[in-house]
Amino acid sequence: MADTKREIERKYEGPPAGGDAPLPDLTDVPGVSGVIDKGVAELDATYYDTADQRLATASLTLRRRTGGDDAGWHLKLPVSEGVRDEIRAPLSDTVPEDLTALVRSRIREAELVPVVRLLSARDIRHLVDASGTLLAEVSVDRVRAERLSGGAGSAEWTEIEVELADDGDPAFLDKVEKKLRKAGIKRSASASKLAKALDDTAPRKPEKAEKAEKSGKAEKAGKPGKAGKAGTTGKVADVSKATTKAAKPEPPDSTPRTAGDHILTYARAQRDAIVELDPAVRRDVPDSVHRMRVATRRLRSTFRSYGKILDRTVTDPIGVELKWLAAELGVDRDQEVLTEHLTTALDDLPSDLVTGPVQARLSTWSGARRSGSRQHLIAVLDGKRYLDLLTTLDTLVAGPPLREAASKKPEKVIAKAVRKDFEKVADLVGEALELPPGSERDLAMHDARKKAKRTRYAAEAATPALGDPAADLVKSMKSLQTLLGDHQDSVMVRGALRELATEAHEAGENAFTYGVLYGRAEQRAAAVEAELPGEWEAIEDKGAV
């Protein structure tokens, strides 16, 4: 079974292979009382990737390593600069299934093959404080890289690694770095050993061929890319049949200028979030399911709100698939949120109002549903439909089905789309306020909440182009969404309490507490309904963009 270790480290350039170890006297580093020589470890690591290096492109590394005190399979997932989560699994002849699953959103159906072998002689030193507690491990690595696929090159170099001890203060690394810099030691230009190995062992093209390739890329820059295929429910739709009168948008790293630029930048960010959050969802990292679900909703809302920019004959079928994915993610997330609400409500009750094994029943009820939903969610992420959707999204952002309005200035096109969404929210809130309390009003308020969420996402996408007016609308819609969300939570809580009360009654338990909780949830819903008119009046006064 794989386990996880948070790795915080910095890499520095060493002298050429065979040179002297460049470390200065590290006992001068504040807080360090001793430097313990731990000897030299011989490490043999084979790195795996797809033939087109999809993991390396995403700054992920997967290796099988022997030697040292952590032999086994290691998958490193980037968290932030200098911080990675290392997922470990025992040694085996093939890539462990647990680790393959964590990179599936990147590799899809591609095969993982050995790409580079690194042989390292690691000279290790431990920096300890006055009590002998480990502060950091400093190593001088003499590395030999051998290309295993895509060429047959080799390279050698020396580098220095400083890895913070578990639960250490990251500020300590600054102190070590200050000492290293005084000794003339610079940060490594490569993000990892693998990145350097791939670069240094890559086949070199003849100078003429390299110049011709660069010239060809320059000629293609700015030309519309050929549209690919976009997905539908279980099928694939042809993006090339879309009306694409607008010019190709700027590349993702360019400053957005047109309406299409801005919307595609936002859409790409949501696609990226879905792919990047996949491993966290599989690992059950807190809030990861919610964040992934939000990304799917943002992307679907973008397609719907900006139909004048992205052709909806292409994006609507993809939106169906995004809705499906959001629903699958919601099975787990909704249960999690519902349990939190019920647990908090129960904790807030005076003890004399709690009769019977309420907490035990709630735990059993929640656990049974969450366990089943987790298993189902992992099956969804391993399924062909989900992987096809990811590929469809890749194709869409690479060759977007732009309409004529995409080439226009964002101030008019984007603002008009946001105002249209705002008007729909106004209509739905007005309808809800006209209805008497009851199930019909509950449904109307839920519809208004969903439309407020869509308008919020549309305003988010518009903010870089429209500035403060769009940012203000995001805040207004978030406030409205929160208020209406509280109401919907009450509806869901009351439904769960009816179910729990029925189970308790059938088991011969006292159902009094469930009734008390139901009444309190009903009061919260009434309070929201009373607050809504004033909240909406304030939002209407501000208006849209």
Side-chain angles (χ1 to χ4, degrees):
M1 185 67 180
D3 60 354
T4 304
K5 179 182 184 297
R6 176 61 56 88
E7 181 183 80
I8 303 176
E9 68 177 18
R10 297 180 187 178
K11 297 180 182 293
Y12 302 87
E13 295 181 358
D20 295 332
L23 290 178
D25 182 4
L26 297 176
T27 55
D28 292 342
V29 175
V32 175
S33 293
V35 178
I36 303 174
D37 188 343
K38 304 297 290 186
V40 177
E42 299 294 336
L43 308 177
D44 186 345
T46 299
Y47 287 77
Y48 286 70
D49 204 337
T50 60
D52 53 357
Q53 298 179 13
R54 299 180 191 180
L55 299 187
T57 300
S59 299
L60 288 96
T61 60
L62 174 63
R63 72 186 178 202
R64 181 187 187 275
R65 189 168 78 181
T66 58
D69 58 4
D70 64 345
W73 286 90
H74 306 149
L75 171 64
K76 297 192 178 188
L77 306 173
V79 176
S80 59
E81 185 178 0
V83 182
R84 295 185 292 183
D85 278 343
E86 184 175 271
I87 318 297
R88 298 176 175 179
L91 278 175
S92 61
D93 292 335
T94 58
V95 182
E97 290 184 9
D98 287 351
L99 301 189
T100 301
L102 292 177
V103 298
R104 198 175 304 284
S105 67
R106 299 288 185 182
I107 67 172
R108 314 293 162 79
E109 301 298 332
E111 182 184 3
L112 289 168
V113 297
V115 291
V116 167
R117 183 185 184 190
L118 296 184
L119 301 171
S120 304
R122 170 164 290 181
D123 191 357
I124 305 169
R125 294 164 179 78
H126 282 182
L127 307 186
V128 298
D129 63 14
S131 67
T133 300
L134 179 65
L135 299 172
E137 179 177 285
V138 180
S139 63
V140 178
D141 293 345
R142 292 182 172 84
V143 186
R144 176 176 172 78
E146 300 173 354
R147 191 85 172 204
L148 301 179
S149 65
S154 64
E156 294 185 7
W157 71 90
T158 300
E159 71 176 36
I160 300 166
E161 281 189 9
V162 183
E163 182 175 348
L164 189 68
D166 293 346
D167 301 320
D169 181 1
F172 178 71
L173 295 182
D174 294 332
K175 299 176 182 179
V176 177
E177 179 162 312
K178 184 177 181 180
K179 181 66 177 178
L180 294 177
R181 282 184 173 178
K182 284 183 178 180
I185 298 171
K186 301 178 181 179
R187 286 275 196 110
S188 175
S190 298
S192 66
K193 285 186 176 66
L194 176 61
K196 182 171 178 57
L198 289 173
D199 185 56
D200 289 358
T201 65
R204 298 303 176 188
K205 296 179 181 179
E207 188 175 343
K208 289 184 178 180
E210 201 168 281
K211 287 182 178 179
E213 182 178 294
K214 289 181 179 179
S215 177
K217 287 181 179 179
E219 289 178 5
K220 290 181 181 179
K223 292 183 180 180
K226 184 178 180 180
K229 292 182 178 181
T232 61
T233 309
K235 296 183 179 180
V236 178
D238 190 351
V239 177
S240 63
K241 294 179 181 178
T243 51
T244 56
K245 296 181 181 179
K248 178 180 178 291
E250 294 291 325
D253 58 346
S254 298
T255 300
R257 293 182 178 85
T258 66
D261 292 344
H262 283 280
I263 300 310
L264 284 172
T265 296
Y266 188 76
R268 285 190 185 97
Q270 307 320 312
R271 185 281 309 268
D272 292 347
I274 294 170
V275 173
E276 291 166 5
L277 283 165
D278 180 291
V281 170
R282 293 174 185 272
R283 294 162 57 204
D284 204 14
V285 173
D287 204 40
S288 59
V289 171
H290 172 62
R291 291 166 59 204
M292 188 174 184
R293 191 183 188 191
V294 167
T296 65
R297 286 173 164 173
R298 281 179 168 144
L299 188 51
R300 179 169 176 258
S301 292
T302 299
F303 292 159
R304 293 169 66 85
S305 295
Y306 293 106
K308 294 293 185 182
I309 295 173
L310 294 171
D311 192 339
R312 286 192 59 175
T313 62
V314 176
T315 61
D316 276 358
I318 304 173
V320 171
E321 295 301 278
L322 289 168
K323 183 179 181 180
W324 160 76
L325 178 58
E328 296 290 1
L329 291 165
V331 172
D332 196 38
R333 171 63 181 173
D334 290 346
Q335 182 62 42
E336 178 184 333
V337 171
L338 186 55
T339 300
E340 289 175 0
H341 284 305
L342 289 168
T343 301
T344 299
L346 183 59
D347 291 342
D348 289 343
L349 275 186
S351 58
D352 59 344
L353 294 181
V354 180
T355 60
V358 181
Q359 183 62 64
R361 178 160 294 283
L362 174 58
S363 297
T364 301
W365 174 84
S366 175
R369 283 156 181 77
R370 179 158 170 75
S371 175
S373 62
R374 280 295 303 169
Q375 294 172 5
H376 175 73
L377 179 55
I378 297 302
V380 166
L381 298 183
D382 285 336
K384 185 177 185 299
R385 186 175 182 181
Y386 167 71
L387 297 177
D388 284 349
L389 172 58
L390 296 185
T391 301
T392 294
L393 294 177
D394 290 345
T395 303
L396 180 80
V397 298
L402 298 175
R403 300 186 66 190
E404 186 174 3
S407 63
K408 297 180 179 180
K409 293 182 178 181
E411 290 77 7
K412 291 185 178 180
V413 178
I414 292 179
K416 184 177 180 180
V418 175
R419 285 195 295 270
K420 184 177 179 181
D421 277 348
F422 182 81
E423 290 168 1
K424 291 179 181 178
V425 175
D427 290 342
L428 289 171
V429 172
E431 291 175 11
L433 292 175
E434 291 176 359
L435 291 169
S439 59
E440 285 190 28
R441 174 180 269 195
D442 291 345
L443 288 173
M445 292 180 71
H446 184 47
D447 287 342
R449 171 176 173 259
K450 290 189 291 185
K451 191 63 68 177
K453 190 181 299 183
R454 173 175 156 183
T455 305
R456 171 189 167 189
Y457 297 153
E460 283 179 354
T463 297
L466 305 182
D468 290 342
D472 290 341
L473 183 58
V474 171
K475 293 178 183 177
S476 294
M477 290 297 99
K478 186 175 182 180
S479 177
L480 178 63
Q481 179 188 331
T482 299
L483 184 65
L484 295 174
D486 289 343
H487 185 275
Q488 180 62 16
D489 288 342
S490 170
V491 173
M492 299 301 294
V493 163
R494 281 178 280 164
L497 287 168
R498 283 193 294 270
E499 183 179 338
L500 284 163
T502 299
E503 291 181 2
H505 177 74
E506 291 175 351
E509 298 166 7
N510 192 321
F512 169 78
T513 300
Y514 304 105
V516 174
L517 291 173
Y518 188 98
R520 290 193 168 197
E522 205 168 36
Q523 289 176 349
R524 284 196 297 275
V528 170
E529 292 176 21
E531 186 180 348
L532 180 58
E535 175 77 13
W536 178 245
E537 183 178 353
I539 291 173
E540 270 195 315
D541 287 343
K542 293 180 182 178
V545 296

